[in-house]
Amino acid sequence: EHRFMPNKATPDEIRIKDLYWKAYAEVWYKAKNKNDNYIHDGNLHDEMMEKFFSKGFRELLLKSDNNRSAIYEKHRKESEGVVLTVGPKDQPAAESVEDLLRKGLKKLSNSMEPEPVTPGLSLRGFYKTPKFYANFWSERFMQVGCSGVNRNSTYSLERKGGQILVHIENDDDTVTLAFRPDLALVGPGPLSIHGFVPGGSTTTTTPGEARQVTTTTQVQMNRTDVMSAGQQQNATQTGAQTYTVPQTTTSTEYTPPTTTTAPAPFIPKTVRCMAGTITPEPAAKPSSAPKEESTGLIGIVADALGGEAVFVPNGLRMAGTYYGQGGANIEFLDHKAIVGCHVTRDENLYTVAFRNGEVIVNVEGAGSPLAFKLNLDGTLVGSGATIPIYGQKLVGKNQEGDPVYAASSDSCAYGTLTPHGENSATTVASAIRRDTNPTSPVTNSRPALPATPSTVGSLAILNGFAENPNRFGNVSLIVVKQSFENILRNTGFGNATGRQSAIANWSEMCKAQSPRCKQGIDAMKDSYLRMIKLGPNGNVSFANVPAQTMWLVAIVPYGNQHFVWNLRVDVKAGTNSITFDKSNLAAVY
């Protein structure tokens, strides 16, 4: 009765099942064609059942098999963990494993609380010359580099004398660029970038070893051979004149030496660079081609955590929520403006123009277009005209946590709108300084006492790929209490020889669409903390993070490959950062 009910199984039953799954994984890994199901010998199965198990047990097993589907479905609904929670118990049982995995991951993603933002003007775009580049990916954070020297930095915008100046933090040597109405940036000419370069690599060699292996096999003999060999006590009769006798042999197994190469920490370096007129690379628009169906469970995981692909234009953008009188409000995101009037909301595109020393914000299609001037005090000033808003209102959420809307309309006057809110990044202004290694670990045991300034820190999660679009754009990271490698090893994905990581073994099974892939994801539920949604350029920042240790797991599809990261993060008091790049990949396949 306990075969498919692990919450009722005895410790011995659980131990035997775990041993079985580990053995299954070993055999599956060695199989030449992992896409084929194993062919079981029914006659051998019946012979073994009759030889080793009682009639009562065989009848109970038959009853268990007959009720297998119903028991499994009931158990799945009742005990599915947070990673794969799929909704109410009356959900149809016809859903596939793939559908359950998609829904579970979607529900996790929707459970995330959005990070607060600072209202105001910001900059977006990947600006580049043959040697110099500046990648602005949030309202506070960016990357800058020259001739192979890179740094993750912060920036601020200043309106001064009819100009918009971009101040890039560069240790004590701030880099200032001027923003032009044609979207170009103009630098001072020669400048110094205080950044980092890879520190090389370290090589570790594990010597090989020889060990004695004893193997026992069953040898078939006739009665005469058994008698002459003196094996009567060890022989088991299998036929009228045939017997099997255990035969023990000893051999030497040799494990060859292994060599592993690991990247060394980044080291600081300063380089001189020319920065004259710098133009942005064309902003990449999401493909309009139909999305291909995921192949294998690993593709489903990557798609579910990949987030929505959005188009963010180069140049000036707005952030934050602005409120006016009479229920009027506008929330600005990187790629759209959500115009609100009481409970009605309408999503629209918007543009930000800089001309004649003024910043003009235009919101398209909201009843009629809305135009605002951004004042130096941060307020948005419109015409004050009453505009009808035709949109939707929030009426609830569905089982996966997606918002549910109904049609709605209202009218509001959009005059002067005042910014509200604050951004965690404002307290992380110095999160990336020269004394912070761009690939240093950042980290979960939560403090027992309420966090104080000495037990919290700021955390910036950055991507190390200078590309457009970026492979980490809008990706969701899974945050867990222990290493994904250890989680998988404890679930039976470890390799007996230790020559291949558990993550690599797991990914091979996912690639072959084995049911074991789902078990690897499901195993994370006991260590799951939350999910973190990265921005369009693959970065995010937080303030007031409790000092702790945790792991960030990323599964990122790119081209025809999948990349897996499993990064330890040690948050300490003060400023912390961690970078996803080629040097800290867990597996590529």
Side-chain angles (χ1 to χ4, degrees), residues 203-226:
T203 301
T204 303
T205 300
T206 302
E209 63 176 358
R211 61 191 181 101
Q212 298 295 314
V213 179
T214 301
T215 304
T216 299
T217 57
Q218 298 293 327
V219 179
Q220 192 173 59
M221 295 183 177
N222 58 35
R223 180 180 179 85
T224 302
D225 292 336
V226 170

Side-chain angles (χ1 to χ4, degrees), residues 118-164:
T118 298
L121 198 63
S122 62
L123 187 60
R124 296 293 185 277
F126 187 85
Y127 289 77
K128 183 180 179 182
T129 67
K131 290 188 176 181
F132 177 86
Y133 81 89
N135 184 13
F136 300 90
W137 53 264
S138 84
E139 74 278 358
R140 186 68 182 174
F141 283 87
M142 54 89 66
Q143 293 171 307
V144 64
C146 178
S147 299
V149 177
N150 307 284
R151 70 177 288 122
N152 298 307
S153 191
T154 60
Y155 77 98
S156 61
L157 300 183
E158 180 188 11
R159 294 174 64 182
K160 182 178 180 180
Q163 285 187 307
I164 295 180

Side-chain angles (χ1 to χ4, degrees), residues 174-187:
T174 300
V175 173
T176 298
L177 309 174
F179 179 82
R180 292 195 325 202
D182 63 358
L183 305 187
L185 295 174
V186 180

Side-chain angles (χ1 to χ4, degrees), residues 260-298:
T260 57
T261 301
F266 278 52
I267 57 176
K269 183 177 180 179
T270 296
V271 64
R272 293 285 289 175
C273 195
M274 285 296 296
T277 300
I278 315 157
T279 55
E281 295 282 292
K285 291 188 176 182
S287 173
S288 59
K291 190 174 182 179
E292 294 184 3
E293 282 294 318
S294 302
T295 55
L297 295 184
I298 186 64

Side-chain angles (χ1 to χ4, degrees), residues 427 447 449-459 542-548 571-576:
T427 61
L449 299 176
T452 64
S454 62
T455 60
V456 299
S458 63
L459 171 60
F542 304 91
N544 300 320
V545 179
Q548 56 186 298
V571 176
K572 299 179 175 61
T575 58
N576 304 271

